[in-house]
Amino acid sequence: METKVGSLDSSRAAACNDVGCLPSNSSVSAIHSSASPPFHSAEATLGRHIARRLVQIGATDVFSVPGDFNLTLLDHLIAEPGLNLIGCCNELNAGYAADGYARARGVGACVVTFTVGGLSLLNAVAGAYSENLPVICIVGGPNSNDYGTNRILHHTIGVPDFSQEMRCFQTVTCCQAVVNNLEDAHELIDTAISTALKESKPVYISVSCNLPAIPHPAFSREPVPFSLSPRLSNKMGLEAAVEAAAEFLNKAVKPVMVGGPKLRVAKAGGAFVQLADASGYAIAVMPSAKGLVPEHHPHFIGTYWGAVSTAFCAEIVESADAYLFAGPIFNDYSSVGYSLLLKKEKAIIVQPDRVSIGNGPEFGCVLMKDFLIGLSKRLKKNTTAYENYHRIYVCEGQPSKGEPKEPLRVNVMFQHIQKMLSGETALIAETGDSWFNCQKLRLPQGCGYEFQMQYGSIGWSVGATLGYAQAVPDKRVIACIGDGSFQVTAQDVSTMIRSGQKTIIFLINNGGYTIEVEIHDGPYNVIKNWNYSGLVDAIHNGEGKCWTTKVWCEEELIEAIRRATGDKKDCLCFIEVIVHKDDTSKELLEWGSRVSAANSRPPNPQ
């Protein structure tokens, strides 16, 4: 059976992670081109082919920064009826926007110019690679006649070798295509885009600046929608893995399940829930998988993050005599400085195409989704771990009531953010203390959640919020961003306003890089204070819908939220929250000290 990728007829909500999923109000539809008439020659161009492909796979919004090498290509993207070109303030944010868009829509795209644009984009692409996001990175390249000559071009480092940019992208993309000849352009572009969809990784496509507008017979008809053969499990390996895992788990007294971030790339979220339903096990998520497992599930016990887990979750997971981790990433951050109290002999580790069982057998060519579904049919019901959790669980207390006009505390702010969440919202958490505060929020059914834990690039959330909100216009995005991170990428609030987005941004102004302070303090962690709401007012400049405010106390926060969700609900709302520089979550204090200890380990003896 083949899986159709690029189908644009979706009955699911726009926030789905299927490749090719479009908003329900989209008027774009796939055209099965085998019987379509030839295009007029003016439309049978490389530029229009790229545009049609992007629309076809679901990347109907493309984030761009113009430069002289990509201008003709941008003309042809604009000319495509189903495609919306969004100009960003810089390439880094365009890449972050494509990352955020891919999280909601299943694929994202950005277009920049040669080298100066491409290398500015590189950091964002590396983050997308680490998070297994298919992002189509298109660069306007040199004139095809300049290849193979000894000419030196602008926007380069001053040598006649034009491959520097591509070589930089090789380690952070799964495919690279340099299109400087129309004869093989169709093949190179289709191979790159289909590879991004198959591998769920970014790809790099360079298109010579003189080629997009030239008609060519290869582009004379509507491109045939991609039909990608699905990856299949080895049947014998699958059966052996399921049998071994079932034997391992069925003899356990209090087994648990923990979802990891690779559930997304494996498209195994539904299979994970199916296994949870069938087994009765307590289920938790790793911090980077928050939002991938429904928190309204009756056996959900919270976030497993070692010493900084949500209440009572670590006690249940680490005391279990068997635990199944589906798609985990154990790095120094997710393991809290390598301090998790887990034992390999008790663990089943399920990766997208591999299963490891304790200290025993490993099984390759076994897809996570197939394995979890197969295992759900072989496990005995066992609710012991969840019953233990239910038995020991004590509701967390509420923050103490402050005095009137008392300076606002961060835990009070997030108490009010919790009340804002619904199935019509999505939450974006910036690198920093927002990681820890947002982990403690309970996500209602249908509420989106995204943050970038593996790469952890500060400033990611501004561009990602732009892209995510563009991908799911029916959701109200709520972004929690620290002041230090905001200073890195603040400009593209301008693009949010220009695009008519209705995001609510909580700018947490505590005077510095708080997460760095808790790892290793120094004067470099103190930043110049900005008038953040005043900056956004200047960016707004009376064009578009934007409302800003600054709050110092709970009463002002309540009023700001009331207005943002009331008479200002059709505006981009920017709420600058002034808090004390030492007001952090207890989880950050614990996590920071453990990560600091891991970072400061002395060299091993030589």
Side-chain angles (χ1 to χ4, degrees), residues 111-431:
V111 182
V112 299
T113 196
F114 186 58
T115 306
V116 291
L119 298 190
S120 293
L121 175 67
L122 194 64
N123 186 52
V125 176
Y129 188 94
S130 76
E131 300 274 333
N132 297 295
L133 299 171
V135 172
I136 315 300
C137 309
I138 303 171
V139 173
N143 187 291
S144 62
N145 297 302
D146 291 327
Y147 282 90
T149 68
N150 207 34
R151 294 172 181 148
I152 295 176
L153 296 181
H154 67 289
H155 288 346
T156 69
I157 59 172
V159 296
D161 178 7
F162 302 155
S163 67
Q164 180 209 13
E165 179 185 70
M166 184 199 71
R167 287 185 279 113
C168 290
F169 273 89
Q170 280 180 327
T171 56
V172 294
T173 56
C174 65
C175 180
Q176 306 82 41
V178 177
V179 180
N180 54 23
N181 188 316
L182 286 174
E183 295 304 317
D184 60 359
H186 191 290
E187 179 184 2
L188 289 173
I189 289 165
D190 281 10
T191 297
I193 294 175
S194 61
T195 301
L197 302 180
K198 286 186 289 187
E199 301 296 326
S200 199
K201 295 282 189 182
V203 294
Y204 166 87
I205 302 173
S206 174
V207 179
S208 287
C209 61
N210 60 326
L211 299 185
I214 301 174
H216 191 275
F219 311 117
S220 62
R221 292 182 181 271
E222 181 78 17
V224 177
F226 289 123
S227 183
L228 306 179
S229 298
R231 300 176 68 184
L232 301 174
S233 295
N234 178 298
K235 289 185 178 181
M236 291 181 64
L238 174 62
E239 178 58 32
V242 168
E243 182 177 350
E247 180 182 1
F248 185 92
L249 292 169
N250 281 334
K251 65 184 180 184
V253 176
K254 45 183 180 178
V256 298
M257 294 169 53
V258 183
K262 292 185 180 179
L263 280 171
R264 187 203 303 268
V265 69
K267 295 180 173 58
F272 184 85
V273 173
Q274 182 176 331
L275 178 58
D277 291 340
S279 66
Y281 294 177
I283 61 171
V285 293
M286 299 183 74
S288 48
K290 186 176 177 69
L292 300 180
V293 173
E295 298 187 7
H296 62 278
H297 191 279
H299 286 176
F300 183 77
I301 63 171
T303 297
Y304 174 65
W305 199 353
V308 295
S309 300
T310 53
F312 303 99
C313 182
E315 291 83 351
I316 295 301
V317 172
E318 293 178 345
S319 67
D321 54 347
Y323 16 76
L324 183 149
F325 280 83
I329 295 178
F330 295 110
N331 61 26
D332 51 339
Y333 276 15
S334 67
S335 67
V336 197
Y338 311 113
S339 65
L340 300 182
L341 300 179
L342 300 174
K343 296 182 179 179
K344 184 180 178 183
E345 61 266 23
K346 294 182 179 181
I348 295 178
I349 307 296
V350 188
Q351 294 295 2
D353 58 1
R354 192 168 194 84
V355 177
S356 303
I357 300 179
N359 288 322
E362 294 197 11
F363 304 90
C365 299
V366 175
L367 300 185
M368 183 191 297
K369 184 176 181 180
D370 296 340
F371 173 78
L372 296 179
I373 292 173
L375 187 59
S376 69
K377 301 171 183 175
R378 303 281 289 275
L379 290 185
K380 300 174 184 175
K381 198 88 168 182
N382 187 335
T383 59
T384 304
Y386 181 75
E387 290 167 2
N388 288 346
Y389 170 79
H390 187 69
R391 194 174 293 118
I392 67 172
Y393 181 77
V394 178
C395 289
E396 288 194 82
Q398 298 296 319
S400 58
K401 184 69 177 175
E403 296 296 323
K405 300 296 182 179
E406 178 184 310
L408 184 61
R409 285 172 281 133
V410 170
N411 56 10
V412 172
M413 180 186 75
F414 278 94
Q415 181 184 23
H416 288 285
I417 291 176
Q418 174 70 77
K419 298 173 185 176
M420 299 173 68
L421 301 182
S422 71
E424 286 73 51
T425 61
L427 188 65
I428 306 290
E430 175 58 83
T431 300

Side-chain angles (χ1 to χ4, degrees), residues 44-127:
T45 62
L46 170 60
R48 291 300 292 276
H49 176 76
I50 293 173
R52 293 183 189 104
R53 272 295 188 219
L54 293 176
V55 170
Q56 201 177 71
I57 64 173
T60 54
D61 299 276
V62 177
F63 303 92
S64 68
V65 177
D68 60 332
F69 285 125
N70 70 12
L71 299 177
T72 303
L73 175 59
L74 296 182
D75 287 338
H76 286 263
L77 298 183
I78 290 172
E80 181 61 31
L83 193 146
N84 180 32
L85 194 68
I86 298 175
C88 295
C89 297
N90 60 57
E91 292 86 359
L92 179 61
N93 275 337
Y96 287 153
D99 170 312
Y101 194 91
R103 290 166 183 267
R105 193 70 72 88
V107 63
C110 51
V111 182
V112 299
T113 196
F114 186 58
T115 306
V116 291
L119 298 190
S120 293
L121 175 67
L122 194 64
N123 186 52
V125 176

